[in-house]
Amino acid sequence: MRHHRMARSTGGAVLGTLMALAELGAQEPAAAPDHIGTVHFPVSCSAEAQARFDRAVTMLHHFWTQPGSEAFAAVTAADPGCAMGYWGTAMVVRANPLVAAPDSAAFRRGREAVERATALGAPTPRERDFIAAMDAYYHERKGGDHRSRVLAYEKAMAAVHRSHPGDREATAFYALALLEAATVLPADSGYAREREALGLLEAVLAAEPGHPGALHYLIHASDHPPLAARGLAAANRYGVVSPAAPHARHMPSHVFSMLGMWEESIRANRAAIEAAPAYVHAMDFLIYALLQEARDAEAARVLAAADGLQRVRASVEAQSPTGAVLSVHTAFAAIPARQALERGAWEEARALEVRPAHPAADAITRFARAMGALRSADGAAAREDLEHLRALETDLGRSGDAFWAGQVGIQRMAVEAWVARGEGRDDEARRLMRAAADREDASGKSVAMENRLWPMRELLGDLLLEVGQPAEALRAYEASLEAAPNRYRGFLGAARAAARAGDPARAREHYGRLLALTGGGDGARPELAEARSYVVP
């Protein structure tokens, strides 16, 4: 597999890191190297090309970019006249289409491939329809930006689905096109496209329970708190169907995290790391889950491994299992930030090193540093990081990246709220922090940063508790726990707020949940002694 090539190319400098990463996944058995699931997508090509095409489409369903590109190249090598082989290349070079637009080089490769497919001509209407849909993506002429291309492709795939309603591949790829469109449109609180995709994918799985694409895309479709429970069956099955695909091992943790199922998330991400030891996106999910259970020593090992991979960051980015480099950037920033913030280690947060990569990732570090400084009574340092957040928000807005500009704006508002609190402007602090929480609740989320660094409604609870409004704080914490269940700091805040609000029964309930959550932790956090003393005086 590709991570073996990385180990050879980077030599001894990263050997210790890879050994540490192997230990993170050591509880999972190694999967058979070719066990990635199966699909059958009939095309008008030679028998050899058809067999290669089926395997290449299976990789495409996993967003497995580099092996998928090589597999489609093998299709056209076996049958140069196989137009659908070039369609596959045009599809797979987009990497994870739910994260970002392909870079210019990938876009050029895809456009050339779909032009070749069109020029060759396909012998069946079905194949011509698939190629035309991909052509709509690469040749959209109403402005040519990423948003217009994605919406043109969604419209074209809707036509493919209508023309071939019983075709499972057409249905699965149309469902994915719906999810792609949802990423470029304003957040929809009703999740209309996600719900339509869920219905389509559930129908595919009713007929073909092991379809890897339907399992994968259904998890993405349900990757929102109100929909998460609909993804649980697919989450439990996807990694079993395709255990040799690193992304298939990781993806179930999207649902597990939404539902606060930390043990399941830990197992899924250890398995992903076992399959791809430099999979830092999976490491981000792993450390997040470990920290919720106060398994701080294990979390520290994940942090150390991630820090070691920073030395070969370019190789890690190039070999991301899905080709989604943005998720590598955000993971590298989020892992040390989570390690500090989740433990309330404010001095550690304040001292985080900024390693410029992408404005969205840089903002994660700046936000964590600012919050650490504010909790350490260093207003000057916080204001410096606040200025950087403002600049990052402006840069993202100017570049047309409205989603990430909005996310950084939410972080900026939260820091402004806590700066106001530090300066005694409590009314303004409450207003700003409540606005940040409301904006976050109304916003969507990106698969490049699944687990929010710090739920803003939980942070609102912290601020309300600080300004002496424990009853309001309790409502904020409990609302946050509805959207982000089983969070350590959510239970802790709710317990403290209830105790200060004169509600000992609810305080004991939340402290009890905190203790149950951390039963397998290492017990080093002082809040656990606080919880035990309250529950068992």
Side-chain angles (χ1 to χ4, degrees):
M1 295 177 71
R2 287 180 296 145
H3 61 268
H4 294 155
R5 294 204 296 270
M6 190 193 91
R8 289 196 296 270
S9 66
T10 56
V14 78
L15 180 60
T17 296
L18 291 177
M19 289 177 65
L21 285 161
E23 290 177 4
L24 295 178
Q27 296 185 20
E28 297 293 333
D34 60 347
H35 196 177
I36 63 171
T38 57
V39 297
H40 181 50
F41 189 145
V43 290
S44 302
C45 303
S46 70
E48 180 185 355
Q50 175 69 73
R52 292 179 182 275
F53 185 82
D54 284 345
R55 184 164 177 82
V57 171
T58 305
M59 292 179 177
L60 172 61
H61 280 314
H62 295 309
F63 298 165
W64 211 353
T65 310
Q66 186 59 37
S69 295
E70 294 167 0
F72 281 114
V75 171
T76 53
D79 183 351
C82 182
M84 286 299 286
Y86 295 103
W87 165 87
T89 295
M91 284 285 285
V92 79
V93 297
R94 298 186 310 147
N96 183 336
L98 304 179
V99 172
D103 64 28
S104 58
F107 185 87
R108 186 167 54 253
R109 283 184 59 208
R111 186 165 182 160
E112 290 170 354
V114 79
E115 287 172 350
R116 181 74 181 273
T118 303
L120 281 170
T124 69
R126 170 178 172 270
E127 293 172 55
R128 290 195 294 273
D129 287 345
F130 272 102
I131 292 168
M134 196 77 280
D135 183 77
Y137 175 86
Y138 283 102
H139 293 88
E140 203 289 321
R141 293 178 176 84
K142 295 181 181 178
D145 64 343
H146 178 61
R147 180 181 184 275
S148 65
R149 294 182 190 283
V150 168
L151 295 179
Y153 177 63
E154 178 198 34
K155 182 178 179 180
M157 280 307 302
V160 176
H161 175 60
R162 284 194 302 270
S163 298
H164 311 280
D167 188 315
R168 293 172 198 158
E169 295 306 306
T171 302
F173 283 121
Y174 172 48
L176 177 59
L178 287 166
L179 299 180
E180 292 178 46
T183 69
V184 300
L185 293 170
D188 171 16
S189 61
Y191 302 105
R193 280 178 167 79
E194 290 86 350
R195 292 180 189 277
E196 183 179 355
L198 281 168
L200 294 167
L201 296 164
E202 286 166 346
V204 171
L205 291 170
E208 190 176 343
H211 190 289
L215 291 167
H216 182 186
Y217 309 148
L218 193 148
I219 293 171
H220 278 298
S222 61
D223 199 4
H224 307 276
L227 306 177
R230 282 182 74 173
L232 187 55
N236 285 329
R237 185 158 179 75
Y238 186 29
V240 175
V241 166
S242 306
H247 196 54
R249 289 187 168 203
H250 157 73
M251 269 304 300
S253 64
H254 285 228
V255 170
F256 298 148
S257 285
M258 285 289 98
L259 297 174
M261 299 170 63
W262 308 123
E263 282 298 310
E264 291 81 357
S265 183
I266 289 166
R267 285 197 295 272
N269 287 295
R270 279 179 168 157
I273 294 165
E274 200 280 332
Y279 197 175
V280 290
H281 181 64
M283 293 169 65
D284 181 29
F285 274 71
L286 176 58
I287 197 169
Y288 182 64
L290 289 168
L291 289 166
Q292 300 319 306
E293 295 190 350
R295 293 162 68 169
D296 295 343
E298 293 174 69
R301 289 196 289 274
V302 178
L303 175 64
D307 192 61
L309 285 174
Q310 288 276 4
R311 291 175 293 169
V312 289
R313 185 174 185 139
S315 295
V316 173
E317 292 171 359
Q319 301 192 45
S320 169
T322 66
V325 176
L326 180 55
S327 66
V328 176
H329 293 322
T330 56
F332 270 131
I335 288 169
R338 294 192 198 283
Q339 175 74 353
L341 294 178
E342 295 289 352
R343 292 162 42 249
W346 309 125
E347 290 291 344
E348 288 180 27
R350 176 189 182 191
L352 287 170
E353 179 184 355
V354 180
R355 292 166 166 164
H358 182 280
D362 299 350
I364 290 169
T365 306
R366 291 292 181 183
F367 171 74
R369 281 168 53 95
M371 294 309 301
L374 287 162
R375 297 297 184 92
S376 304
D378 187 348
R383 282 188 289 274
E384 180 181 341
D385 283 308
L386 175 58
E387 288 306 312
H388 283 283
L389 282 172
R390 288 172 176 153
L392 291 166
E393 180 185 3
T394 299
D395 290 347
L396 286 162
R398 286 175 178 165
S399 72
D401 196 336
F403 173 79
W404 284 111
Q407 295 302 299
V408 176
I410 291 167
Q411 294 171 329
R412 182 259 306 159
M413 290 174 68
V415 174
E416 288 175 342
W418 282 84
V419 167
R421 164 59 185 155
E423 295 174 353
R425 295 179 282 118
D426 289 352
D427 288 345
E428 183 179 359
R430 286 194 298 271
R431 177 185 62 78
L432 285 166
M433 194 63 242
R434 199 175 295 280
D438 291 345
R439 279 183 62 177
E440 182 171 83
D441 288 349
S443 74
K445 65 188 181 73
S446 167
V447 295
M449 184 63 184
E450 278 291 315
N451 301 303
R452 300 191 191 276
L453 189 64
W454 197 339
M456 290 295 147
R457 200 151 298 279
E458 181 182 292
L459 189 51
L460 171 63
D462 285 0
L463 189 139
L464 291 169
L465 203 55
E466 283 245 343
V467 301
Q469 297 185 336
E472 283 192 50
L474 178 59
R475 286 192 288 273
Y477 286 124
E478 291 183 337
S480 182
L481 284 164
E482 285 292 317
N486 283 349
R487 271 187 53 81
Y488 178 100
R489 297 194 67 81
F491 284 144
L492 176 64
R496 287 174 170 172
R500 295 181 196 178
D503 191 341
R506 280 166 87 181
R508 278 193 294 274
E509 177 186 352
H510 286 298
Y511 275 130
R513 289 176 177 173
L514 180 64
L515 292 173
L517 175 69
T518 58
D522 51 36
R525 297 192 199 176
E527 301 93 354
L528 298 178
E530 170 190 328
R532 284 189 290 269
S533 67
Y534 199 97
V535 172
V536 185

